Amino acid sequence: MHRLKALLGFSALLGTAFPARAIPRVPPVASYRIEAAWDGEQKTLVGRETVTFVNRTSRELPDVVLHLYLNGFRNTRSTLWRGLPPPSGSAAFGFCELKRVALPDGTDLTRRISFETPAGDNPDDRTLARVPLPRPVRPGETLVLEVDFESRLPRGVLRTGWKDDFVFAGQWFPKLAKATDAGWRGRPFHSSTEFFADFGSYDVTLLLPAEVKGKVAVTGRVVEEADDAAERVRVRAHAEDVHDFAFSFSPRFEVRKETVAPKGLPRVDVLLFLQPDHRRSRERYLRAAREGLALFGTWLTPYPYPVLTIVDPPTGSGAEAMEYPTLFTGATAWLSPAAGGEPGAVTLHELAHQWFQGMLASDETSEAHLDEGLVSWISARATTRIFGTPSPVVEAFGVPIPMRSLKRPLPEGESQDALDQAAFSRSDPVLRETWRSLDDAAVRTNAYSRTALLLESVARTSGEQPLFAAIREYARRFAFRHPTTGDFLGVLGEVAGPEARDLVERGWTSAGAADYAVTRASTRRAAPGAGYLGEGPRRAYRAPAAPARSFESTVVVQRLGEIAWPVEVEMRFEGGQTVTRRWDGRAEWMRWRITGPRLVSAVVDPRRTCLLDVNRLNDGLRTEPDPTVARAWGHRLRFLAQNLLELFALVAVLPGASW
Amino acid sequence: MKVKGNALPFLWVRGLVAAAATWKALLLALALNAALALVVTAPLASRLHDLLDDRPTADGLAKGWDVVLGAHLLRSEPGLLGDRARLGEIEQGTLPLAEWPRLSGPLAGLLAAGFLHAALSALLAGGFAGRFAAERERGSLAAFFSDVVRLGLPSLFIGLVGLAAILGAFLLFVELPREATLSPDLRWDWERTGLSLLRLFAFLGAAGAIRAVVAQSRAALGLAKTANPVLALASGVGFVLGRPVKALFLEAAFGVTALFPLALWLVFAPSWSGGDWRLLALLVSGQQAVVLLRLFARTAHLGAAMAWMRGAREASRPAPAKIEA
């Protein structure tokens, strides 16, 4: 009876924690039961996992492929290390070693393990292991694997590791690659790409130092926490409908719990694990979570889990700003000024990942733009809505100084790197598989900034409501189904219209730039017709006469970039009259001739709809130069130079102080 | 007006009074500063006219800097301010000292003009030292130029030694410990900030002490019968070592005096957006007043140093023997 009560109690507990709600889900594919013990001296997790895999693909799978992500830190020959700085000592290294892989009947598969090195890839990489099976797993069949492993976490870098007494364990256990109808889909761990995995449930028991009791952040929820022998605490966590499991602990965490109940949306327990020196940021973290859950719940779908955990890592821990299902890390600093928008912006960005990375779970190794790009755009919108337009922050001698007189509108202000990439590098289109991109900069700009600018441009061109409606439908339709770029474009075309879809495709398929320029804006008095005019007997000669009062104006707009975008061209005439023409932007150039008042200026895209335009200055041209702006800057520069010269005199030669 | 006493407030007032007497020379220094600024910014200002005059899309820059439009401007003209990568490093504060001479474009021009301005200021400082030491004709420009000829080069030598010492202090306190104080291994943010500020204050303290030595050395130069910069430097070092705290406070007092008008200006002055000429005239007058006040404060420090050194020497001179009636 007691056992039954305990079982019922535990089920009820799980019921409040999970499963995900509101959104129809797919049945679990890859579920894990893990027990692991942390060794603080060696920085290792030694454990055993039972993997339950249900083959829901249409093909037989003769083997399994396991990600051993921590082997990216095993030595400097790994594929991952090509994107890392040189190691600074033994703490920089980590590993994930398979001690034993077996079937429940005791069949030992350990000797069969080989390391997967896709053709042309790095033969020294050990981040992908293939385990042939005695017999294939047929569609619909279940495979259970027992895996003993030992993982060593490196000094915090690339989303995982430790710093002092803070530990963030991400990608720490042997994990199945994604099963697809084309077989296992897994890539060696690459510095600029992230992850792709099947949904399932996780039941994880951790043996941790007793001092971290109550200070363990997990994917899902802690369902049991009990003292164990030898000054240890046994922490049991459970999560369902997730595709990864991460945890973090530190004896110095300050834990704050808040229940958020946005109007018309499900209640969510928000847990914040904060560094003591980041207390000033606490309310900004919580406000971003509170208002972000409401906003994204309306813009997308209701948040599908009953718990959300935010881990605030110490500066320099390498764990900053990373998302996992139901858990993410923020990033802030002791003196982080509110005017800079942080940690609000990063919190909203990582929170938005709960939908795109956590719930939709597209392939981040190949199509990172589907996650990072959509998240960058929608979180920029949310940040502006909740916190306003942030100011840039410069740091001098460890003190962040907000430049309050300047504003950094989102997403434009933080995405100029994408335009630099489009103007100067042009190495990769967004749709190139992420891991094939030239370098980290190409991945970062394409997946994040370029896609954010592209979506903002589409919102301004085709309307933001249709775009929101399309993204909402995309989230609803493909929740827990690992959508692809094709799925997104399909919904976009269906809901927001073919123009929106076409524009996104143009922005994603080209590595080049958008650049419209007004290359000619001229105006002269219109001369009456001269020469032989009229037909047949009415033909008459008219001598050239003095110009009339009206003006004949010519405006030429050229498309200098590869990407075509529909634009307006606004012509401004003397007396304040304006004429606006719309152009589909496809041809190399377009000319307009207008007779009327004297033309003053012409501007292409005056409402700034195409944010992918790499040169905003050449978007307009005057018929007569106006030195006002340059004069104002000349004046400012002279005063600046006078003061800098005086500073030189102080520092270099004369006494007095200005520092 | 004669103010006596060696207490800090008295020295501050005495410095200001002394500097005020040399107003003609100060105006000359201001003219030099303005002319050099005009020359060094002329190419950039002209390039801005080329780039912006025809472009109505640049109008957003009229009232001040615009983060997005500025990024477009620097992308369309990557060399406008010099090498973009180095510019980024300067912004981050990570450009090593050794790389500064390799700057190109307007920044290199500014650096060169900075050294020229510093050298000219050092020569003029010789003139100021001579005038402050003189009992008469403090405001005479002719006498000032004669002092520049007599003491300018020794003053420049003292300045060069000061420059080398300040660069050394920068290397020692700012550049070398940079990595250590910004190390990600530091557990708490306040450790990182605290150590960084310690680095800054150590440098400021060292630079302040060096500048105090330079000031007292120039004062010694003015008071000496021969223009020997090495002897003057030795006097300056000895004087400051004997009264380090007061010397630093004097330095700080004139530092604040120099910075105060600039800070007020930056906070309260309106921005000129290129149109209203009367506002421009007002702003230019105000700006020149700010720069003049900075020059005035810098010169006043030398005047105070001179008064202090003279007072100290007089105090240490043995009292004359009593004459018996």
Side-chain angles (χ1 to χ4, degrees):
Chain A
M1 191 63 187
H2 281 294
R3 288 183 67 181
L4 180 63
K5 272 186 182 172
L7 193 64
L8 286 172
F10 183 59
S11 304
L13 193 59
L14 292 188
T16 58
F18 286 94
R21 53 208 181 175
I23 304 293
R25 303 184 315 278
V26 289
V29 175
S31 296
Y32 297 78
R33 198 175 70 242
I34 308 175
E35 283 191 23
W38 168 251
D39 181 336
E41 288 295 314
Q42 300 298 319
K43 311 296 182 196
T44 55
L45 281 156
V46 179
R48 165 174 290 186
E49 67 182 20
T50 305
V51 186
T52 306
F53 168 70
V54 184
N55 185 2
R56 299 191 193 280
T57 72
S58 57
R59 62 182 287 165
E60 286 186 348
L61 296 169
D63 50 21
V64 292
V65 173
L66 288 165
H67 284 292
L68 308 174
Y69 287 115
L70 287 180
N71 279 344
F73 304 101
R74 190 165 174 258
N75 56 44
T76 53
R77 292 179 177 177
S78 71
T79 301
L80 180 83
W81 216 294
R82 292 172 180 168
L84 293 181
S88 52
S90 63
F93 297 99
F95 57 77
C96 179
E97 194 178 325
L98 293 174
K99 298 280 191 190
R100 178 173 169 271
V101 179
L103 297 174
D105 63 7
T107 309
D108 194 339
L109 308 176
T110 316
R111 285 174 178 272
R112 300 180 180 208
I113 297 170
S114 65
F115 289 98
E116 183 79 350
T117 52
D121 234 12
N122 176 7
D124 293 321
D125 195 85
R126 294 285 180 273
T127 57
L128 214 53
R130 183 176 292 277
V131 186
L133 299 169
R135 71 172 188 82
V137 191
R138 286 194 286 269
E141 270 190 352
T142 298
L143 168 76
V144 177
L145 275 183
E146 286 178 354
V147 182
D148 292 352
F149 66 94
E150 181 181 355
S151 292
R152 181 177 196 264
L153 297 181
R155 166 69 176 79
V157 62
L158 274 182
R159 321 168 189 98
T160 193
W162 51 269
K163 177 186 173 179
D164 196 46
D165 53 16
F166 168 84
V167 174
F168 193 92
Q171 303 85 46
W172 57 280
F173 58 95
K175 188 178 172 192
L176 286 178
K178 172 86 177 71
T180 72
D181 288 339
W184 292 103
R185 190 173 173 88
R187 290 288 317 160
F189 196 15
H190 192 282
S191 65
S192 57
T193 62
E194 293 182 326
F195 316 104
F196 190 34
D198 278 307
F199 284 95
S201 64
Y202 285 77
D203 199 280
V204 180
T205 303
L206 301 162
L207 266 180
L208 302 174
E211 59 182 357
V212 302
K213 188 176 180 183
K215 297 184 176 185
V216 184
V218 297
T219 295
R221 208 195 275 276
V222 171
V223 292
E224 199 180 326
E225 201 170 34
D227 293 329
D228 199 77
E231 294 184 347
R232 287 189 167 208
V233 63
R234 179 177 293 270
V235 178
R236 185 172 181 202
H238 188 86
E240 282 186 15
D241 304 321
V242 295
H243 54 74
D244 202 356
F245 184 92
F247 67 95
S248 177
F249 59 86
S250 166
R252 300 180 207 246
F253 271 146
E254 290 184 0
V255 186
R256 180 75 172 246
K257 183 181 172 186
E258 185 174 308
T259 300
V260 176
K263 198 177 174 186
L265 295 168
R267 291 159 65 94
V268 180
D269 288 340
V270 176
L271 296 164
L272 173 63
F273 292 76
L274 191 72
Q275 296 297 319
D277 57 339
H278 294 169
R279 269 180 217 135
R280 278 164 51 100
S281 294
R282 182 171 57 203
E283 182 47 35
R284 280 178 263 161
Y285 268 126
L286 290 172
R287 183 180 171 202
R290 203 183 299 132
E291 298 188 28
L293 282 166
L295 212 51
F296 295 140
T298 312
W299 285 349
L300 301 166
T301 64
Y303 177 69
Y305 304 101
V307 65
L308 174 72
T309 299
I310 306 169
V311 174
D312 167 52
T315 305
S317 65
E320 294 93 338
M322 179 57 195
E323 69 281 3
Y324 293 90
T326 82
L327 175 150
F328 62 82
T329 61
T332 190
W334 177 41
L335 298 174
S336 177
E342 298 295 0
V346 70
T347 305
L348 287 163
H349 182 99
E350 304 310 325
L351 177 61
H353 274 302
Q354 294 302 313
W355 281 263
F356 294 98
Q357 186 262 1
M359 192 179 77
L360 289 158
S362 48
D363 181 356
E364 293 179 284
T365 60
S366 296
E367 299 181 300
H369 53 278
L370 281 182
D371 173 32
E372 297 294 355
L374 270 69
V375 162
S376 295
W377 176 69
I378 208 161
S379 62
R381 283 285 181 130
T383 301
T384 308
R385 174 79 75 93
I386 297 170
F387 293 102
T389 304
S391 292
V393 175
V394 294
E395 191 178 297
F397 292 96
V399 180
I401 304 161
M403 303 171 80
R404 290 175 198 277
S405 59
L406 299 180
K407 290 295 172 194
R408 196 164 51 89
L410 302 175
E412 262 192 296
E414 64 177 9
S415 303
Q416 292 299 309
D417 57 340
L419 301 186
D420 289 342
Q421 176 83 4
F424 303 124
S425 170
R426 301 173 179 228
S427 61
D428 302 278
V430 173
L431 289 190
R432 174 157 302 153
E433 285 180 292
T434 312
W435 61 272
R436 282 188 201 276
S437 298
L438 175 68
D439 50 26
D440 288 355
V443 172
R444 197 173 55 246
T445 54
N446 277 336
Y448 292 72
S449 313
R450 188 181 173 104
T451 302
L453 287 180
L454 176 64
L455 292 174
E456 182 62 25
S457 304
V458 171
R460 293 183 184 192
T461 305
S462 303
E464 64 176 51
Q465 288 313 317
L467 183 62
F468 269 119
I471 293 179
R472 187 184 307 121
E473 176 59 18
Y474 165 70
R476 192 195 63 76
R477 197 181 295 178
F478 291 101
F480 304 102
R481 291 175 193 279
H482 313 285
T484 62
T485 299
D487 295 327
F488 176 73
L489 291 173
V491 175
L492 190 64
E494 187 186 313
V495 179
E499 185 195 50
R501 176 190 169 131
D502 183 38
L503 292 176
V504 171
E505 271 189 305
R506 283 186 221 172
W508 274 350
T509 50
S510 170
D515 187 10
Y516 287 92
V518 181
T519 53
R520 197 178 304 168
S522 60
T523 190
R524 61 176 185 183
R525 283 198 184 278
Y532 292 95
L533 301 175
E535 303 295 333
R538 278 186 284 179
R539 185 185 70 202
Y541 175 75
R542 188 186 292 170
R549 281 186 155 189
S550 61
F551 286 79
E552 191 176 85
S553 304
T554 306
V555 171
V556 174
V557 177
Q558 283 185 259
R559 177 170 62 78
L560 304 178
E562 295 82 357
I563 297 176
W565 202 270
V567 286
E568 286 181 348
V569 178
E570 184 182 271
M571 289 162 264
R572 188 172 292 277
F573 296 89
E574 221 164 42
Q577 185 188 340
T578 59
V579 171
T580 303
R581 294 279 186 268
R582 209 171 153 74
W583 176 36
D584 69 7
R586 288 181 184 273
E588 280 75 15
W589 56 268
M590 181 61 101
R591 176 165 48 207
W592 291 269
R593 285 202 179 94
I594 292 177
T595 303
R598 182 190 171 88
L599 178 72
V600 175
S601 65
V603 175
V604 61
D605 196 15
R607 291 187 298 113
R608 291 292 297 147
T609 55
C610 180
L611 301 184
L612 294 174
D613 192 317
V614 294
N615 186 353
R616 189 162 157 190
L617 289 180
N618 67 12
D619 286 2
L621 197 60
R622 287 192 176 89
T623 53
E624 295 291 335
D626 177 356
T628 309
V629 177
R631 205 189 279 144
W633 274 97
H635 164 72
R636 287 174 199 141
L637 287 171
R638 278 188 287 278
F639 184 53
L640 178 69
Q642 277 192 276
N643 281 285
L644 287 176
L645 291 176
E646 178 55 16
L647 181 71
F648 259 94
L650 288 169
V651 171
V653 188
L654 284 174
S658 67
W659 290 10
Chain B
M1 182 177 147
K2 286 249 175 190
V3 185
K4 290 194 173 178
N6 279 347
L8 207 60
F10 286 114
L11 287 176
W12 184 77
V13 174
R14 290 169 79 181
L16 295 181
V17 170
T22 61
W23 62 272
K24 286 183 215 161
L26 280 172
L27 284 179
L28 178 77
L30 175 67
L32 267 177
N33 171 289
L36 213 51
L38 195 70
V39 170
V40 79
T41 55
L44 182 56
S46 159
R47 188 77 195 111
L48 285 177
H49 277 292
D50 294 344
L51 290 169
L52 306 180
D53 285 2
D54 291 330
R55 301 295 180 187
T57 35
D59 288 353
L61 289 169
K63 285 187 177 167
W65 191 246
D66 176 304
V67 171
V68 174
L69 208 48
H72 279 264
L73 173 64
L74 294 179
R75 181 165 43 248
S76 68
E77 194 69 16
L80 186 65
L81 298 177
D83 186 320
R84 285 186 86 188
R86 287 185 195 280
L87 204 63
E89 286 181 272
I90 292 174
E91 199 179 301
Q92 301 286 321
T94 55
L95 185 70
L97 207 55
E99 294 293 317
W100 281 85
R102 295 191 194 127
L103 288 175
S104 60
L107 281 176
L110 185 66
L111 198 66
F115 280 112
L116 179 61
H117 185 262
L120 287 172
S121 300
L123 292 173
L124 295 186
F128 284 116
R131 284 305 78 211
F132 292 149
E135 292 294 332
R136 292 175 303 160
E137 292 186 326
R138 281 196 167 176
S140 160
L141 259 189
F144 176 80
F145 279 123
S146 133
D147 285 334
V148 168
V149 171
R150 188 169 60 91
L151 301 175
L153 283 178
S155 166
L156 182 62
F157 173 80
I158 292 170
L160 284 174
V161 173
L163 170 65
I166 285 182
L167 289 180
F170 184 82
L171 206 65
L172 186 67
F173 294 116
V174 177
E175 196 152 303
L176 291 179
R178 178 182 284 138
E179 291 299 316
T181 58
L182 297 177
S183 167
D185 289 331
L186 294 170
R187 178 63 177 87
W188 305 108
D189 289 356
W190 55 262
E191 291 174 314
R192 185 167 156 269
T193 303
L195 286 173
S196 295
L197 287 176
L198 196 63
R199 196 161 56 99
L200 172 68
F201 289 127
F203 169 69
L204 287 182
I210 293 164
R211 289 201 296 250
V213 166
V214 169
Q216 295 303 152
S217 303
R218 289 219 173 96
L221 194 66
L223 292 171
K225 286 176 184 156
T226 58
N228 185 333
V230 180
L231 284 179
L233 209 51
S235 288
V237 170
F239 192 85
V240 172
L241 282 179
R243 310 148 184 87
V245 176
K246 191 171 172 182
L248 275 174
F249 272 111
L250 191 65
E251 157 76 22
F254 282 102
V256 172
T257 310
L259 267 188
F260 190 61
L262 180 64
L264 284 182
W265 183 268
L266 292 176
V267 173
F268 295 111
S271 172
W272 185 61
S273 49
D276 184 346
W277 291 101
R278 276 181 303 182
L279 177 63
L280 174 68
L282 205 64
L283 287 178
V284 169
S285 309
Q287 287 173 344
Q288 296 319 301
V290 167
V291 178
L292 184 62
L293 283 171
R294 293 188 67 187
L295 289 165
F296 179 63
R298 163 156 70 82
T299 310
H301 185 194
L302 182 56
M306 182 77 76
W308 188 16
M309 188 169 259
R310 185 182 273 152
R313 284 184 183 180
E314 279 170 7
S316 63
R317 199 173 293 156
K322 280 187 181 171
I323 299 168
E324 298 278 337

